[in-house]
């Protein structure tokens, strides 16, 4: 049978490759499967973390929260209005935010610390919590005494250094401020003052003390501001009275000096005159423009004689000019008529010519009179415009003078009014401040005083333990899924068939604690029944797959080194050797293993020597336990060139005639391209995959490369399968493992 008949048809490759290279994204069932297998470990880890968290929460000191509710009003209920004095006329948000900051101020906190004597309380006093290594107060006192003894006086720098009590007060105040918090109630003027302490009674007293201290501070501030405002206004009122008197005197003096009685009336009359004169000047300017236009036309036509001047529209449109032109036209027409009837010296013709000359002279005289009238009108229009412009300028100057005086008197009046308004305002505020000097009112009041809390706010043991359990469950589940996703290897027959679309010829169990050379002899020694039966299963699958034609040349390869292809090839050779004449060839000329596994003497010639022609076939073939073997021989510098040579093809054909089956141990597909060359000489190719070790993308790439080159990929052998672990994880590989040593998922000695 021809070898090419075993190869996949090129037309079918596009249909097979997408199935083999399909996406390996796990579905929901695949994601749930590893979680379910490790459910007890996940639950145990969750319970342990919850127990440890519960024990840790019981070791934490409980904290109690006391809350006082305050009402902060934006406006005071004053008897009289004195908002400017107290400073409460602010915007709502800014005012409330300012009050919140005052509640959290250091001054208020220090006031409460002093009132409750927290510097001696065990929860705050640093002297009662831990014994300090160095007494700072004693050291500072000693330094001050020594400095005073030497200099006779205490230096200012040392005198400004705070003593131990001041340091303790500052430290306690800082700690107390960290325990305070405020919580404004939304859409209201209420604010909650909260104190978190280990002592519930002290927490309640502290919250109430903050509220009371805030109110007292507001009253004290208001009183101080009222006294300060009254004192300041008394000193300012005299100065304002003097300034008012001076401004009134200046106003009266200016009126008397300028003899001003009714500035508005005078300004109104001048403005009316200016408006009338301006209107007349506008008419004069328009008349001057018209006269100027006619004048310029006359000047431009004067050089052409009175005939050109007669064509000017202003001249031509005059009624007398039109009459004279009509008379001239009649006389000219009569001359023309008589000249055709009579001779040049006929009396009638001479009389007509005399009439024509008289009409032309009258027309010329009238044109000259009209032109002279146009020039006189232009000169009169210019003079009239200049006269009116002078009147307008005079009126403007007079109005500007009045305006300056008006501006000065208005300025003096504004100064008087401003001084009088300021003086009246200060007088009113002074009376209000004096009247409310002893009025005690605050903008804050206590709505709900704090009570002693019964239940701690933290630690919230139930919530913490529950969250710890949920986080532990999610974390362990996530780790399980992450490990499952990162383990991108083949773990079952179904995965191999689904990912590669190739049949699984068989699986080989994992042989623990055995050397590679021992596994190579494992079938012949029959030490492990399950392994031997697996080899027979692979042999049977290969025989059945070659029913249409025997697989005379069989290539065994894998993706990477160390996946067990050499041991599979050796044990298959022993299995076929029980029925046929078999030759095992080590074609891995870079990293040969056959000679090492079967302990060939050093320097034994092999395939490389045979291809190079330095040895004969009979000298290279060795028989081990009834199986003929051809080792790699001396490692050549050019393995790929040797395998691609025509001599190697002839050697394969020669060996094919001598043996029933030739099994070739090929290099890995991802390391070199030797496997592709060897596959061209083969009838079948077995792809070895190491269970839970061979990366799926690499195997898909290797199988794809072989199929692209029309290699006869027959099937896959899943090698080194940990059957007990696989059955524990829910993978099953056949019932004969129970019979051969894996009953009830427990390995038995064979």
């Amino acid at each position: 049978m021809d070898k090419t008949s075993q190869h996949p048809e090129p037309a079918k490759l596009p249909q097979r490759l997408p199935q083999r290279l399909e996406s390996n994204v796990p579905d929901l069932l695949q994601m749930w499967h590893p979680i379910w297998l490790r459910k007890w470990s996940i639950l145990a880890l969750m319970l342990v973390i919850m127990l440890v968290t519960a024990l840790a929460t019981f070791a934490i000191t409980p904290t109690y929260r006391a809350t006082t509710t305050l009402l902060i009003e934006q406006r005071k209920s004053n008897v009289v209005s004195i908002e400017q004095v107290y400073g409460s006329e602010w915007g709502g948000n800014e005012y409330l935010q300012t009050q919140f900051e005052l509640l959290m101020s250091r001054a208020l906190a220090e006031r409460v610390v002093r009132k409750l004597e927290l510097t001696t309380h065990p929860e705050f006093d640093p002297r009662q919590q831990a014994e300090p290594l160095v007494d700072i107060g004693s050291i500072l006192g000693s330094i001050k005494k020594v400095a005073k003894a030497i200099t006779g006086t205490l230096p200012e720098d040392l005198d400004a250094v705070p003593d131990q009590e001041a340091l303790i007060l500052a430290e306690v105040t800082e700690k107390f401020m960290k325990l305070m918090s405020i919580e404004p109630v939304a859409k209201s003027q209420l604010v909650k003052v909260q104190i978190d302490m280990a002592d519930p009674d002290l927490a309640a007293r502290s919250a109430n003390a903050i509220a009371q201290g805030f109110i007292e501070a507001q009253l004290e501030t208001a009183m101080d501001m009222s006294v300060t405002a009254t004192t300041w206004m008394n000193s300012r009122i005299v100065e304002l009275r003097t300034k008012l008197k001076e401004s009134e005197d200046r106003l009266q003096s200016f009126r008397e000096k300028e003899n001003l009685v009714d500035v508005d009336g005078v300004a109104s009359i001048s403005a009316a005159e200016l408006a009338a004169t301006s209107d007349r000047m506008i008419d004069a300017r328009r008349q001057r423009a018209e006269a100027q236009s006619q004048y310029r036309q006359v000047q431009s036509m004067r050089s052409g004689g009175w005939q050109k001047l007669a064509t000017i529209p202003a001249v031509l449109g005059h009624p007398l000019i039109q009459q004279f032109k009509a008379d001239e036209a009649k006389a000219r027409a009569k001359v023309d008529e008589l000249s055709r009837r009579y001779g040049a010296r006929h009396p009638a013709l001479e009389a007509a010519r005399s009439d024509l000359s008289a009409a032309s002279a009258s027309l010329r005289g009238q044109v000259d009179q009209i032109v002279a009238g146009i020039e006189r009108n232009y000169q009169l229009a210019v003079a009239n415009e200049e006269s009116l412009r002078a009147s307008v300028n005079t009126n403007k100057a007079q109005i500007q003078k009045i305006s300056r005086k008006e501006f000065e008197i208005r300025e003096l009046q504004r100064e008087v009014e401003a001084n009088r308004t300021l003086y009246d305002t200060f007088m009113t505020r002074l009376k209000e401040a004096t009247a409310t000097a002893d009025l005690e009112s605050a903008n804050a009041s206590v709505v709900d005083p704090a009570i002693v809390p019964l239940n701690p706010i933290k630690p919230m043991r139930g919530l913490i333990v529950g969250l710890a359990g949920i986080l532990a469950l999610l974390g362990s589940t996530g780790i399980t899924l992450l490990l499952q996703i990162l383990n991108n290897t083949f773990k079952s027959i179904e995965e191999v068939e689904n990912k590669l679309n190739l049949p699984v010829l068989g699986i080989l169990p994992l042989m623990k604690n055995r050397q590679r050379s021992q596994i190579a002899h494992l079938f012949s020694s029959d030490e492990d029944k399950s392994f031997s039966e697996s080899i027979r299963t692979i042999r049977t699958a290969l025989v059945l797959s070659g029913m249409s034609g025997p697989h005379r040349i069989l290539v065994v390869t894998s993706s990477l080194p160390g996946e067990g292809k050499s041991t599979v090839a050796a044990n298959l050779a022993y299995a076929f050797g029980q029925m046929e004449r078999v030759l095992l060839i080590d074609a891995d000329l870079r990293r040969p293993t056959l000679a090492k596994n079967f302990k060939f003497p050093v320097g034994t010639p092999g395939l490389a020597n045979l291809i190079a022609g330095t040895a004969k076939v009979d000298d290279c073939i060795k028989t081990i336990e009834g199986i003929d073997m051809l080792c790699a021989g001396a490692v050549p510098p050019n393995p790929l060139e040797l395998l691609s040579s025509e001599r190697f093809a002839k050697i394969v054909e020669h060996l094919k005639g001598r043996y029933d089956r030739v099994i070739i141990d090929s290099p890995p597909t991802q390391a070199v391209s030797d496997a592709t060359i060897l596959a061209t000489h083969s009838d079948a190719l077995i792809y070895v995959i190491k269970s839970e070790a061979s990366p799926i993308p690499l195997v898909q790439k290797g199988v794809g490369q072989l199929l692209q080159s029309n290699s006869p990929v027959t099937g896959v052998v899943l090698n080194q399968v940990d059957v007990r672990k696989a059955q524990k994880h829910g993978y099953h590989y056949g019932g004969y493992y129970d019979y051969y040593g894996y009953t009830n998922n427990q390995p038995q000695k064979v």
Side-chain angles (χ1 to χ4, degrees), residues 290-410:
E290 294 176 356
Q292 184 177 7
S293 175
Q294 295 177 0
Y295 177 77
R296 288 179 177 176
Q297 291 178 358
V298 170
Q299 295 298 321
S300 62
M301 296 294 183
R302 187 175 293 277
S303 60
W306 68 271
Q307 291 85 358
K308 288 288 185 179
L309 292 175
T311 60
I312 297 174
V315 177
L316 185 62
H318 197 277
L320 293 177
I321 296 298
Q322 294 178 359
Q323 183 179 355
F324 287 145
K325 274 186 170 290
D327 294 342
E328 184 187 20
K330 290 179 180 180
R332 190 179 301 278
K334 188 175 181 180
V335 170
D336 292 338
E337 181 183 357
L338 293 177
S339 63
R340 289 193 299 269
R341 293 169 57 186
Y342 303 107
R345 307 183 66 84
H346 193 275
L349 181 59
E350 290 181 353
R353 288 176 179 172
S354 177
D355 293 337
L356 177 61
S357 299
S360 297
S362 298
L363 177 61
R364 179 178 180 179
Q366 190 63 37
V367 168
D368 292 338
Q369 290 180 4
I370 294 174
V371 169
I374 291 175
E375 292 177 350
R376 287 194 300 273
N377 289 337
Y378 172 67
Q379 294 173 357
L380 290 175
V382 171
N384 187 30
E385 182 183 6
E386 293 296 333
S387 176
L388 291 175
R389 181 179 290 109
S391 298
V392 169
N393 293 335
T394 302
N395 290 336
K396 286 184 177 179
Q398 183 178 1
I399 291 176
Q400 290 176 355
K401 183 178 180 181
I402 296 174
S403 298
R404 284 194 294 270
K405 294 181 180 180
E406 182 182 8
F407 175 77
E408 292 179 3
I409 196 170
R410 299 298 184 197

Side-chain angles (χ1 to χ4, degrees), residues 510-571:
L510 176 65
M511 297 289 104
K512 297 182 179 180
N513 301 324
R514 293 180 185 271
Q515 299 294 329
R516 181 182 297 179
S517 58
Q518 295 176 337
I519 301 176
H521 296 271
L522 200 57
F523 183 85
S524 61
S525 62
D526 202 17
E527 296 179 6
D528 191 289
K529 301 297 183 181
S530 63
F531 184 86
S532 300
E533 187 62 29
S534 298
I535 294 295
R536 293 189 184 94
T537 302
I538 298 172
R539 180 188 63 185
T540 303
L542 289 171
V543 172
L544 293 177
S545 65
M547 294 296 293
S548 58
H551 301 318
R552 301 286 301 278
I553 307 298
L554 181 63
V555 175
V556 182
T557 187
S558 63
S559 299
L560 298 171
E563 294 181 331
K565 60 176 182 56
S566 298
T567 57
V568 171
N571 286 282

Side-chain angles (χ1 to χ4, degrees), residues 69-74 92-93 96 100 183-192 447:
T69 304
L70 284 173
L71 171 62
I72 301 179
E73 298 177 342
Q74 296 189 27
N93 294 333
L96 291 177
F100 298 157
E183 181 182 346
V185 180
K187 298 181 180 180
S188 69
Q189 296 180 355
L190 298 177
V191 59
K192 294 181 179 180
V447 177

Side-chain angles (χ1 to χ4, degrees), residues 33 37-38 483-484 486-493 495-496 507-508 510 512 560 562-563 688-696 699 717-733:
H33 186 67
L37 293 176
R38 296 174 175 83
L483 294 176
Q484 181 70 15
L486 294 178
N487 187 12
N488 191 18
T489 58
F490 293 99
K491 297 174 284 297
S492 65
I493 295 175
E495 287 187 356
V496 175
I507 64 172
L508 294 177
L510 176 65
K512 297 182 179 180
L560 298 171
E563 294 181 331
V688 179
I689 298 175
K690 185 177 180 180
S691 177
E692 299 188 23
S694 299
I696 293 177
V699 176
V717 172
L718 191 59
N719 191 26
Q720 301 185 32
V721 177
D722 191 339
V723 180
R724 183 177 63 177
K725 177 181 177 182
Q727 289 178 343
K728 180 179 178 181
H729 290 170
Y731 302 113
H732 303 284
Y733 296 101

Side-chain angles (χ1 to χ4, degrees), residues 222-243:
M223 184 63 66
D224 294 341
M225 292 177 63
S226 178
V227 173
T228 303
T230 302
T231 304
W232 177 74
M233 284 190 292
N234 281 326
S235 63
R236 283 283 294 165
I237 199 72
V238 177
E239 180 182 351
L240 292 176
R241 187 183 297 112
T242 303
K243 290 181 65 177

